[in-house]
């Protein structure tokens, strides 16, 4: 069974490498393929950043209602909307965290990294046992602003194992108290980029998805990831990481994304049909 997903992805035309882990909410591992292999994290690094920031809010060290003034120097390219807006905008920290996830805003992400501190983020990851996940530095910086590791070509990285473990602990309530757990899942549920896990979820007659999804995708050239909690009848925690895709285009109909989505959904449909209906 461990190669069934990859065989299906190959049949759909995906030629790259994949790391995949799927667990039930009780932690039972239902499927794993290269789960401990590290991949460039792309925007999935924003999941641990969200959780750590909400821990800071829970501890009273981050006021989610406080406003942050954006300078022109904060703008970085790539995904998101803040770099398209003028300097002087003052979103709250809750706005920043929300934008970081739901539209994968890189400018917002760098504000979070600046506030938390890269060293503190990595220490937090180590304490949590997520040893395959590391933040090398801020996103989309021009070369002259990159740190030495980034100039050497190092990048933020993670594994399917770590991503699933983090989400399992988030949903299970061991990382945040209930109100902040609900907030984290609410933000993840509102993500607008649902390229892989959410792409083939069946819909009702009104076009609404039959199953709720709290997720975060990530993309670089040749790199396509999606991690999340899918509330099928037996809820599933999923991390699909990939690299080596051959379609360099950046649009929802990217051939590698379609191949991964088409291979993943039959597996999710099979694994998600046992047990009680879950709820967020």
């Amino acid at each position: 069974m461990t190669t069934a997903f990859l065989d299906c992805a190959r049949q759909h035309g995906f030629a790259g490498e994949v790391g995949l882990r799927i667990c039930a909410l009780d932690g039972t591992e239902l499927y794993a393929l290269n789960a401990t292999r590290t991949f460039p994290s792309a925007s999935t690094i924003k999941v641990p950043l969200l959780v750590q920031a909400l821990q800071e809010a829970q501890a009273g060290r981050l006021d989610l209602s406080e406003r942050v003034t954006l300078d022109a120097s904060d703008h970085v390219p790539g995904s998101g909307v803040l770099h398209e807006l003028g300097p002087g905008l003052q979103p709250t920290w809750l706005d920043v965290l929300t934008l970081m996830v739901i539209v994968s805003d890189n400018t917002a992400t760098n504000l979070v990294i600046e506030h938390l501190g890269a060293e503190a983020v990595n220490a937090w990851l180590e304490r949590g046992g997520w040893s395959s996940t590391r933040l090398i530095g801020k996103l989309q910086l021009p070369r002259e602003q990159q740190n030495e590791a980034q100039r050497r070509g190092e990048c933020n990285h993670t594994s399917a194992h770590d991503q699933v473990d983090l989400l399992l602990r988030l949903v299970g309530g061991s990382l945040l108290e209930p109100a902040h757990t609900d907030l984290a899942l609410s933000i993840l549920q509102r993500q607008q980029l649902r390229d892989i896990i959410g792409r083939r979820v069946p819909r009702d007659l009104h076009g609404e998805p039959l199953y709720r999804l709290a997720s975060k995708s990530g993309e670089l050239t040749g790199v396509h990831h999606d991690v999340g909690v899918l509330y099928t009848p037996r809820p599933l925690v999923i991390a699909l990481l990939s690299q080596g895709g051959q379609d360099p285009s950046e649009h929802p109909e990217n051939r590698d994304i379609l191949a991964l989505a088409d291979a993943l959904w039959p597996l999710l449909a099979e694994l998600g049909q046992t047990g009680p209906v879950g709820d967020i």
Side-chain angles (χ1 to χ4, degrees), residues 53 56-68 91-95 97 115:
E56 291 293 294
Q58 183 175 290
R61 294 186 291 268
L62 176 63
D63 181 356
L64 295 178
S65 66
E66 179 186 349
R67 294 196 173 273
V68 186
T92 65
W93 276 113
L94 179 57
D95 294 332
L97 293 177
H115 181 84

Side-chain angles (χ1 to χ4, degrees), residues 105-116:
D105 196 291
N106 289 333
T107 297
T109 303
N110 285 352
L111 292 173
V112 175
I113 293 171
E114 177 69 24
H115 181 84
L116 296 175

Side-chain angles (χ1 to χ4, degrees), residues 198-231:
R199 179 178 287 269
R200 301 300 187 221
V201 172
R203 296 176 178 268
D204 64 21
L205 294 177
H206 303 288
E208 294 298 319
L210 293 181
Y211 308 123
R212 285 174 292 173
L213 172 64
S215 66
K216 182 73 197 81
S217 61
E219 182 173 299
L220 298 167
T221 301
V223 172
H224 305 288
H225 303 333
D226 213 353
V227 304
V229 184
L230 180 64
Y231 288 84

Side-chain angles (χ1 to χ4, degrees), residues 26-261:
D26 64 1
T28 301
E29 188 172 88
L30 306 174
Y31 190 95
L33 173 68
N34 301 323
T36 59
R37 181 178 297 179
T38 59
F39 291 79
S41 64
S43 288
T44 64
I45 196 67
K46 297 167 185 177
V47 179
L49 290 174
L50 172 67
V51 175
Q52 187 183 6
L54 290 178
Q55 282 189 350
E56 291 293 294
Q58 183 175 290
R61 294 186 291 268
L62 176 63
D63 181 356
L64 295 178
S65 66
E66 179 186 349
R67 294 196 173 273
V68 186
T69 301
L70 269 75
D71 297 324
S73 60
D74 293 322
H75 291 173
V76 292
S79 57
V81 297
L82 289 179
H83 66 278
E84 300 288 353
L85 306 178
L89 191 70
Q90 292 187 310
T92 65
W93 276 113
L94 179 57
D95 294 332
V96 169
L97 293 177
T98 301
L99 288 169
M100 178 177 73
V101 172
I102 70 170
V103 292
S104 206
D105 196 291
N106 289 333
T107 297
T109 303
N110 285 352
L111 292 173
V112 175
I113 293 171
E114 177 69 24
H115 181 84
L116 296 175
E119 290 186 4
V121 171
N122 287 318
W124 182 83
L125 290 166
E126 285 291 331
R127 289 194 302 272
W130 303 299
S131 58
S132 297
T133 303
R134 184 169 177 81
L135 176 71
I136 301 300
K138 291 181 180 178
L139 312 184
Q140 297 287 340
L141 293 178
R143 184 171 177 79
E144 63 271 15
Q145 294 181 26
Q146 293 177 356
N147 58 39
E148 281 190 32
Q150 289 173 316
R151 288 195 291 270
R152 288 195 303 267
E154 295 183 35
C155 62
N156 306 327
H157 54 261
T158 192
S159 69
H161 181 278
D162 281 8
Q163 290 285 336
V164 166
D165 185 73
L166 176 64
L167 288 169
L168 281 170
R169 289 158 68 179
L170 172 64
V171 176
S174 65
L175 295 178
L176 296 165
E177 51 83 24
H180 286 90
T181 296
D182 291 345
L183 178 57
L185 290 171
S186 171
I187 292 172
L188 289 165
Q189 190 175 349
R190 286 179 276 145
Q191 190 203 190
Q192 296 180 12
L193 308 172
R194 300 192 172 198
D195 289 341
I196 302 177
I197 298 175
R199 179 178 287 269
R200 301 300 187 221
V201 172
R203 296 176 178 268
D204 64 21
L205 294 177
H206 303 288
E208 294 298 319
L210 293 181
Y211 308 123
R212 285 174 292 173
L213 172 64
S215 66
K216 182 73 197 81
S217 61
E219 182 173 299
L220 298 167
T221 301
V223 172
H224 305 288
H225 303 333
D226 213 353
V227 304
V229 184
L230 180 64
Y231 288 84
T232 41
R234 174 169 64 179
L236 303 173
V237 182
I238 307 144
L240 189 157
L241 310 181
S242 75
Q243 63 184 2
Q246 302 300 302
D247 185 350
S249 59
E250 295 186 9
H251 60 77
E253 300 307 306
N254 177 286
R255 292 189 302 276
D256 295 313
I257 290 175
L258 293 175
L260 292 168

